[in-house]
Amino acid sequence: MSASPLLDLVGINSYYGPVQVHFDVSISVPEGKIVCLLGGNASGKSTAMKAILGLLTPRSGRVTFMGEDITGLPPPQIVRRGIASVPEARRLFPAMTVRENLMMGAYLRRDTESVAKDLTELLDRFPRLGERLTQRAGTLSGGEQQMVAMARALMSRPRLICMDEPTMGLSPLFVDRVLELIGDINRSGVSVFMVEQNASQALSIADSGYVLQTGRIVLSGAASALLSDPQIRHAYLGKTAA
């Protein structure tokens, strides 16, 4: 599989009103890879995700996907181009069943037979969800809800999945399972861009990573190198390494 850039953020400068959030942020996600964006609270991680998904338009810079400029496009158009989202805190429809939530991921698709086939295959990959298809999503555990959010994203047949804090608030058992599933999704041919606070967990499955601190990329490189780099603690936490 080609390692050419699938997603590129180039020189992004983002603002909330008069407050600048990003300062010339550039991030590249190669085809077929897992790339993580690390950083503490208020570092600008989730805002980077919003810029990719069309929820915020940068004041300058551009976002390209498969070579096409998608900066500022509405979210539905970005989904149609092959980008899916697993948002922070899952954001399921709690009163709807698991099946209904999963089908929401295919709301832009018209290939009914293929949608049914994809649902069957997803339930093979997420057997726990198959046992809970008629259960209301809001009654599931946090880990189960995260699985629904991931499966819902896959129902759109994306080229790229953007995951915002996929392990946040999960038990250690479910953290390991979610990380395993992210790796499995990537091996099936879907590229992954994930925002995470937990550096060691994210870098353990990623190919490469970026560290964002107060809106600036302060460190980047191969995940294995970042994992062993003594600067990672300083850059990630903004503190002197112990």
Side-chain angles (χ1 to χ4, degrees), residues 117-128 130 177:
K117 179 175 180 289
D118 288 352
L119 179 61
T120 299
E121 291 178 355
L122 274 179
L123 295 179
D124 288 339
R125 179 180 288 174
F126 299 86
R128 190 180 293 243
R177 180 60 180 142

Side-chain angles (χ1 to χ4, degrees), residues 41 87-90 140-147 164-179 195-198 201 236:
N41 290 329
E88 183 181 350
R90 279 77 73 178
L140 301 177
S141 70
E144 291 167 342
Q145 289 187 24
Q146 187 64 37
M147 290 182 185
D164 196 350
E165 305 282 7
T167 66
M168 179 182 286
L170 302 185
S171 69
L173 179 64
F174 268 114
V175 166
D176 290 344
R177 180 60 180 142
V178 165
L179 293 174
V195 162
E196 259 293 348
Q197 283 199 42
N198 191 308
Q201 289 173 351
Y236 174 64

